[in-house]
Amino acid sequence: MARVNLRTAFMGGAVSAITAQRVFTNRVSETTAFSRSLDGLHEALDAAEISPVVDRLQGRRNVLTFYGVGGIGKTTLSQELERRLLAEADAEDRDDVVSVRIDVSEDGACDIEGLLLRLRAGLGQLGSRWTAFDLALASYWARAHPGEPLQEFLDASPAIRRASRSVGLNEQIASTIGQMVPSGAGGLVGLAHHAALATYRAIRERVREGRLLSECELFAELVEADADYETLSYFPYLLAWDLERQPRRGRQNRRPRVCVFLDTFEALGDRTDRAVERFVQRCVFLMPNVLFVITGRNRIDWADSATSGELDFTGPECWPNLHFSNSTAEPRQHLVGYLSDSDADSYLREAVTRSQEPAMPADVRERIIAGGQGLPLYLDLSVSHFVELLARDGQPSVDDFGGSFTAVATRSIRDLSREERDLVRTAALIDRVDADLLLAGQPSLPDGCVARFLRRPFLTHDDAYELPYALHLALRHAISEADRALPDGWSDHDRSRVAARLLRHLGERLGERAGRAAMTQALESGLKLSGTYGVFDDWMVRAAQRLVEAGQWTDLGAGLTADAAGGPEYRAIRTAIQGVLLRRTGHASEAVTVLGRADTGLSPDGLTAQLVRLHRAHALRNEGDYNGAADIYRGLLGGEFDAAARYWLSDYDYLNGRFAVALETLRGRRGRDAADEGERLRLIGHIWRVNARFGDAAATYVKAITVARDEGLASAEAKALTNLAQTACWSGNTATVSEAADQARELLDVIPNSVELVKIRSAEAVASAMTGDHAAAWSAVADTRRLTNDIGYPGGHNLADVAAILLGVLSGDHDGARRVRSQLDERTRTSGGNTYWVPIVTSWIDGVDAAAGHHPPVEWVDGPESSLGRWARVTADR
């Protein structure tokens, strides 16, 4: 199903309305609001004639929002609501209450794959059967992650690992697949990639035959759709559908209660666009039977008209309770205000006690309350200051308290030893830390000092993350400001120097075998440091390139800002990533323009400049400018990307008929890995094929097929099978062509590649012509041109021209063949590649001698007489 149709299907009936934005401040007790929201949601679900999961025209009433300034206690409130939810369930001996907590500001937290798997792991507490979601996930995973077992992905992130292992998520999904599609059991979990593909095909065929979840609307469309993030972002609908079918429990026959807590939601608004928020909003909208509790600094604007076009589901019809006019119905939006004076005094009285009596004198409490004006974080810091003064055997006085939040932060820093002051400054530079990272920032400090610092109450701890410690964001900003007023405060240069050490350590932590999730998170943190403090490290270039090579270019946008503090290397890598995104989404010309100025001010030998030039060359090649790309590749020889440059220069030599040069280069190197080796073998096979050494070409492609199969590289296998069909067609071996084409198409059905489909159809055109079925051949030529135009692949017309000329020669229409040859000659000269086809077809029309005199000359492997003689016999023998 096409992407736009998927979007339409899920958005049916959603209409935006123009509204005025107003902030409402009338409040009710937050805990009461939470209880009313949860009860109200489930009462509405029970009363609904048609479930809102199925009826997507119904407005959603499943979002409870608490918003307010930083330091107001929103995270604490969210955690307390979760604690009460689970405590009440435990007291009632209920096993049908589930909570999932996600801090969206954490690196990688809103990666749509990770988000969905954390939701699925949470729901797994209710039982192991989530049939619709698990089967769709298997279909997606086999295509989006060829050769990567699900368990490896689950283990890559500490947060996902802990959630998934607590319920045995991997085993649950495998069990679902095994029961529903026995022939494909285990394919997702860790068997060879072909088993995963077989699982997908089995699921797809049963869906097409109407034998699998036909009652789940849009399940078939999601299984058939492209395996990308856009499709995946609709999978929450399947989780909601499965949740509706979970058995009711207890004497009261109650439906399960699920709450998802999304904290620090304002982090989504800090991104360069709202694409990630769009994915998250889809999740919320498509799971109307789950209560989402969102905490952040800003009210949610989903019911406003201004978001139309940026988000899918907007307006009061979609979110009636989020509209400004709603002031009573729960769940809704609540502004989290400051604590009242009496609540603040109660907090201070209970925070520090002596003999069960308040240790803090009344006049000190009054001073703190007057200064803090009800800000909980201000009270926390004041309590820490009071305790520190007591520890020094001092008697805190009124004069030790009060003042602005920055003043309180300043006192908190002064309370620390010099070593701990440097540690808190270090922790303020980055989102999260652990002992090793702090020691990397302050290498002269002993381990014991760091261990004592990590026990400080102003640090939060969550062992779901690889870097488990964090300062509150408001405190991080206040510390940076307050530090400037201290006698030993850091200068901007000090911050940059420590940030550089942190950045270097992030790269060292990765190691050579780092997984995609770890690499993505490290790169996101590194880019934030780089953009804020003007530091840079070459590991970020290598990490970005590895992610691009792994096909994970959609993950690279996180952490990028237009911060002026970022140096030229940061600005260049930011632009390089933008160029990759443009090129991979079909905007090669824009990528060429953007990348053309990205390396200004950089050392030409630096890794970042090389990265920019490499991807500009790729963009030029995609645009059809092989000559311009080759010039850049030559300039990259001897540098970081030497291997890639040599490969693409060999490809350029091949495209321009310098076969001996290309062969010498290719034979002198081995692939860096299986994927690279497969590319090397295929290019060697291309050279043999266009020199009419079809046996050598076929043998080389078979080797490439074996390498791909052994390593589970489905995309590479499909390419090599296509090439085998392109070789066998010249001998009229229709059986081999048909078998290779069928196998390739089967893989391409799983991992789409439209260019390979063009090549397959052109091979079938040649095979039909060689066997005398000219009607079928002309039909295949027309299909080749149509597919070529559909995807904008200029090389497809070259292949169609060659097949058309072959048909002209075999049918005796030499004049028609010459007309097509003229078009082929003009097209290949303009592009700077594939020029060898003109002498090849000339050998059919005018003979070997005329073909050998073609300009520009072609360096045939065995000389023109032998190579072109073999090509001439292709038609002479018919």
Side-chain angles (χ1 to χ4, degrees):
M1 190 177 187
R3 176 174 300 174
V4 65
N5 291 336
L6 260 187
R7 191 170 184 266
T8 301
F10 277 95
M11 289 182 62
V15 180
S16 297
I18 298 177
T19 64
Q21 294 192 28
R22 279 174 41 188
V23 175
F24 51 87
T25 57
N26 52 312
R27 294 182 56 208
V28 296
S29 164
E30 288 86 350
T31 54
T32 300
F34 176 68
S35 297
R36 287 177 57 194
S37 297
L38 196 56
D39 291 340
L41 172 63
H42 287 275
E43 288 170 2
L45 291 172
D46 289 337
E49 293 184 11
I50 302 176
S51 168
V53 174
V54 177
D55 182 6
R56 292 177 298 281
L57 293 176
Q58 294 185 29
R60 278 12 191 181
R61 295 173 172 83
N62 63 326
V63 179
L64 175 64
T65 302
F66 297 109
Y67 69 99
V69 300
I72 203 67
K74 301 181 296 296
T75 297
T76 301
L77 170 63
S78 175
Q79 292 169 339
E80 176 63 15
L81 294 177
E82 182 184 26
R83 186 196 66 78
R84 293 190 180 201
L85 172 72
L86 298 178
E88 290 174 4
D90 187 59
E92 297 175 8
D93 198 27
R94 294 187 61 174
D95 61 355
D96 59 349
V97 177
V98 168
S99 75
V100 179
R101 169 167 296 279
I102 298 172
D103 183 346
V104 301
S105 69
E106 300 296 344
D107 296 341
C110 283
D111 170 84
I112 190 65
E113 291 178 338
L115 176 64
L116 279 178
L117 286 168
R118 288 176 71 173
L119 289 173
R120 170 61 179 86
L123 291 171
Q125 300 173 59
L126 296 173
S128 61
R129 294 298 299 277
W130 299 84
T131 306
F133 178 85
D134 290 354
L135 292 174
L137 178 68
S139 301
Y140 165 85
W141 201 267
R143 295 174 290 160
H145 292 267
E148 180 181 0
L150 176 64
Q151 188 65 59
E152 288 185 8
F153 182 87
L154 295 175
D155 287 343
S157 165
I160 301 176
R161 179 172 63 243
R162 186 172 68 171
S164 65
R165 289 192 173 183
S166 66
V167 297
L169 179 59
N170 204 19
E171 292 76 11
Q172 283 190 0
I173 295 175
S175 174
T176 298
I177 297 170
Q179 293 179 43
M180 300 301 295
V181 190
S183 61
L188 176 66
V189 179
L191 298 179
H193 183 52
H194 277 269
L197 295 180
T199 298
Y200 164 65
R201 287 193 289 270
I203 293 170
R204 185 191 59 193
E205 291 307 313
R206 291 192 63 188
V207 166
R208 289 178 175 177
E209 294 167 1
R211 296 186 295 118
L212 189 64
L213 293 179
S214 58
E215 71 276 18
C216 180
E217 184 192 12
L218 298 176
F219 175 75
E221 285 81 352
L222 290 171
V223 169
E224 295 276 6
D226 291 345
D228 57 19
Y229 277 13
E230 184 76 12
T231 297
L232 194 64
S233 66
Y234 292 106
F235 278 29
Y237 158 72
L238 301 176
L239 280 176
W241 192 87
D242 283 326
L243 179 59
E244 282 290 283
R245 281 147 188 80
Q246 288 293 312
R248 300 196 175 211
R249 310 187 188 193
R251 287 174 296 179
Q252 297 180 351
N253 196 33
R254 295 174 298 197
R255 67 172 65 236
R257 293 195 166 196
V258 180
C259 290
V260 176
F261 296 86
L262 300 177
D263 195 21
T264 328
F265 201 75
E266 71 272 8
L268 295 186
D270 293 339
R271 297 175 182 263
T272 54
D273 60 41
R274 301 186 75 170
V276 177
E277 185 178 357
R278 184 168 65 251
F279 288 157
V280 174
Q281 192 213 42
R282 284 180 190 166
C283 180
V284 177
F285 188 90
L286 296 174
M287 299 186 74
N289 49 356
V290 170
L291 180 65
F292 287 83
V293 181
I294 296 176
T295 45
R297 293 193 176 190
N298 309 311
R299 66 181 290 272
I300 301 300
D301 63 355
W302 297 349
D304 301 340
S305 61
T307 56
S308 180
E310 297 179 297
L311 303 173
D312 289 340
F313 304 102
T314 59
E317 292 85 358
C318 290
W319 309 98
N321 286 13
L322 299 185
H323 193 240
F324 73 92
S325 60
N326 174 46
S327 60
T328 56
E330 297 290 357
R332 59 187 177 90
Q333 305 211 59
H334 296 267
L335 175 64
V336 181
Y338 296 86
L339 296 176
S340 66
D341 288 353
S342 61
D343 287 342
D345 187 59
S346 296
Y347 171 81
L348 294 174
R349 289 168 63 87
E350 297 173 6
V352 186
T353 61
R354 180 186 290 118
S355 301
Q356 299 184 340
E357 293 294 324
M360 191 177 290
D363 55 349
V364 171
R365 298 200 304 271
E366 291 172 3
R367 182 66 174 270
I368 294 173
I369 293 168
Q373 300 181 345
L375 184 67
L377 185 56
Y378 183 101
L379 303 181
D380 286 342
L381 292 177
S382 297
V383 169
S384 295
H385 182 52
F386 184 86
V387 171
E388 189 68 28
L389 292 175
L390 287 179
R392 297 176 186 169
D393 295 327
Q395 182 56 46
S397 68
V398 173
D399 294 336
D400 294 321
F401 299 90
S404 67
F405 184 74
T406 300
V408 174
T410 302
R411 284 197 294 267
S412 297
I413 298 175
R414 283 177 176 156
D415 287 343
L416 303 174
S417 65
R418 172 57 191 267
E419 292 80 9
E420 287 188 296
R421 282 200 296 276
D422 286 341
L423 286 170
V424 77
R425 290 161 176 150
T426 301
L429 298 180
I430 193 168
D431 292 347
R432 304 195 70 88
V433 297
D434 65 358
D436 289 340
L437 190 57
L438 287 173
L439 283 170
Q442 299 298 323
S444 63
L445 297 183
D447 293 351
C449 181
V450 174
R452 288 191 297 274
F453 172 74
L454 292 176
R455 292 194 291 269
R456 287 286 182 176
F458 47 70
L459 283 167
T460 61
H461 178 268
D462 188 342
D463 61 8
Y465 299 97
E466 186 174 354
L467 301 173
Y469 296 94
L471 289 170
H472 192 287
L473 183 61
L475 183 56
R476 286 175 58 196
H477 292 320
I479 286 174
S480 297
E481 182 181 349
D483 188 39
R484 301 180 189 277
L486 295 175
D488 64 344
W490 282 0
S491 65
D492 289 341
H493 178 68
D494 292 328
R495 291 185 181 85
S496 294
R497 188 170 62 245
V498 176
R501 290 200 290 263
L502 297 178
L503 187 63
R504 191 178 311 115
H505 183 73
L506 286 174
E508 292 170 351
R509 293 172 76 109
L510 284 178
E512 290 296 323
R513 299 177 61 84
R516 178 185 64 82
M519 188 171 298
T520 301
Q521 291 172 23
L523 183 59
E524 183 173 348
S525 293
L527 289 170
K528 288 179 182 177
L529 282 172
S530 182
T532 304
Y533 301 106
V535 298
F536 199 80
D537 199 287
D538 284 344
W539 70 262
M540 292 192 292
V541 176
R542 298 186 178 97
Q545 181 61 16
R546 282 180 62 184
L547 288 170
V548 170
E549 290 174 343
Q552 304 298 334
W553 46 273
T554 53
D555 297 339
L556 295 177
L560 294 177
T561 67
D563 199 308
E569 291 87 357
Y570 170 78
R571 291 193 294 273
I573 196 173
R574 186 182 68 208
T575 307
I577 291 172
Q578 181 188 1
V580 171
L581 297 175
L582 287 170
R583 178 169 62 86
R584 292 298 183 91
T585 52
H587 299 88
S589 296
E590 290 181 56
V592 171
T593 301
V594 166
L595 293 168
R597 55 180 181 271
D599 59 349
T600 302
L602 296 177
S603 167
D605 297 328
L607 258 62
T608 312
Q610 293 181 54
L611 179 75
V612 168
R613 296 202 301 275
L614 177 68
H615 288 289
R616 186 166 191 269
H618 291 344
L620 285 169
R621 192 177 184 281
N622 286 10
E623 199 180 25
D625 185 358
Y626 297 114
N627 293 327
D631 288 341
I632 296 176
Y633 290 135
R634 292 188 192 98
L636 294 171
L637 295 175
E640 176 75 17
F641 304 110
D642 177 86
R646 289 186 184 279
Y647 172 81
W648 288 112
L649 284 172
S650 295
D651 182 77
Y652 180 68
D653 285 333
Y654 150 70
L655 290 173
N656 283 275
R658 294 184 289 273
F659 301 130
V661 174
L663 273 177
E664 183 179 0
T665 304
L666 292 167
R667 286 169 167 172
R669 62 181 287 267
R670 295 286 297 177
R672 292 165 294 171
D673 51 32
D676 194 41
E677 175 63 9
E679 288 294 308
R680 186 185 76 90
L681 287 169
R682 288 199 314 108
L683 187 48
I684 292 173
H686 299 347
I687 294 170
W688 294 136
R689 173 162 52 90
V690 298
N691 277 269
R693 288 177 53 167
F694 301 127
D696 292 332
T700 307
Y701 290 137
V702 168
K703 289 181 182 178
I705 292 169
T706 301
V707 169
R709 284 179 176 168
D710 289 346
E711 296 295 327
L713 302 173
S715 178
E717 182 184 347
K719 291 178 182 179
L721 284 164
T722 298
N723 300 147
L724 183 60
Q726 288 180 291
T727 303
C729 66
W730 293 107
S731 61
N733 187 345
T734 55
T736 300
V737 172
S738 179
E739 181 180 359
D742 287 346
Q743 292 180 23
R745 281 196 176 99
E746 193 173 68
L747 293 169
L748 293 170
D749 197 26
V750 177
I751 304 174
N753 187 329
S754 300
V755 170
E756 301 308 308
L757 292 175
V758 171
K759 294 177 180 178
I760 290 172
R761 199 67 181 116
S762 71
E764 290 171 335
V766 170
S768 295
M770 295 294 287
T771 56
D773 190 349
H774 289 193
W778 281 117
S779 176
V781 169
D783 286 346
T784 301
R785 294 201 190 279
R786 178 181 55 78
L787 290 170
T788 293
N789 290 330
D790 286 346
I791 66 172
Y793 168 55
H797 284 298
N798 298 337
L799 299 174
D801 286 348
V802 171
I805 294 169
L806 176 66
L807 278 164
V809 171
L810 292 177
S811 63
D813 183 11
H814 286 69
D815 290 339
R818 288 188 177 93
R819 286 194 296 272
V820 179
R821 181 181 62 182
S822 296
Q823 298 170 3
L824 177 63
D825 192 18
E826 180 180 358
R827 187 182 297 108
T828 55
R829 287 178 187 273
T830 300
S831 69
N834 296 296
T835 55
Y836 47 77
W837 279 121
V838 174
I840 288 173
V841 300
T842 298
S843 74
W844 304 335
I845 301 171
D846 300 320
V848 172
D849 290 343
H854 177 266
H855 186 82
V858 175
E859 300 172 7
W860 301 101
V861 171
D862 305 313
E865 291 79 10
S866 295
S867 295
L868 290 172
R870 287 191 293 271
W871 274 117
R873 286 193 292 275
V874 165
T875 55
D877 293 342
R878 296 293 149 184

